[in-house]
Amino acid sequence: MSEATEQRIRDIIAGSDVVLFMKGVPAAPQCGFSGAVVQILNGLGVPFTGINVLADADIREGIKVFSSWPTIPQLYVKGEFLGGCDIVREMFKLGELAAVLNDKGVAVAAP
């Protein structure tokens, strides 16, 4: 990954409290895993920035290197990588996702 791509990723993550690198956009996810995370975040009433990795090959490959995580979607909260779909889904089911968001100062509308 180039230094420019790494800096772009850092800037994207720093620019919003909650960032989801996903396939598609929040209003129209283009894979089931991205759609599942969008649904969870929307269900919690959490505002987030969706980054469509399909629109930028450098970001699509770079985010995998950046996080050392091979799949997309990838969820970041206050600059910290939380995980992909399976991890986010499990955290949500256990009530851990809302707790992490609250602990980091991100308002959650629903438990």
Side-chain angles (χ1 to χ4, degrees):
M1 166 175 50
S2 72
E3 286 182 31
T5 299
E6 182 176 354
Q7 189 58 52
R8 283 178 56 215
I9 290 169
R10 288 185 188 285
D11 291 345
I12 290 166
I13 292 169
S16 296
D17 286 347
V18 181
V19 179
L20 179 62
F21 290 87
M22 61 180 291
K23 293 178 180 175
V25 296
Q30 293 186 348
C31 89
F33 299 113
S34 292
V37 177
V38 166
Q39 188 174 12
I40 288 168
L41 293 173
N42 285 340
L44 290 172
V46 174
F48 67 98
T49 299
I51 304 299
N52 182 4
V53 300
L54 298 177
D56 189 324
D58 290 340
I59 296 294
R60 182 178 185 171
E61 294 309 313
I63 194 63
K64 296 174 189 178
V65 173
F66 183 84
S67 64
S68 300
W69 191 261
T71 60
I72 293 165
Q74 294 186 16
L75 182 64
Y76 289 78
V77 177
K78 296 276 186 147
E80 179 185 345
F81 175 57
L82 288 190
C85 181
D86 290 344
I87 291 171
V88 171
R89 217 184 296 193
E90 187 67 18
M91 289 178 73
F92 174 70
K93 285 180 186 173
L94 297 174
E96 295 172 359
L97 183 59
V100 167
L101 290 162
N102 281 323
D103 288 349
K104 292 186 172 286
V106 176
V108 176

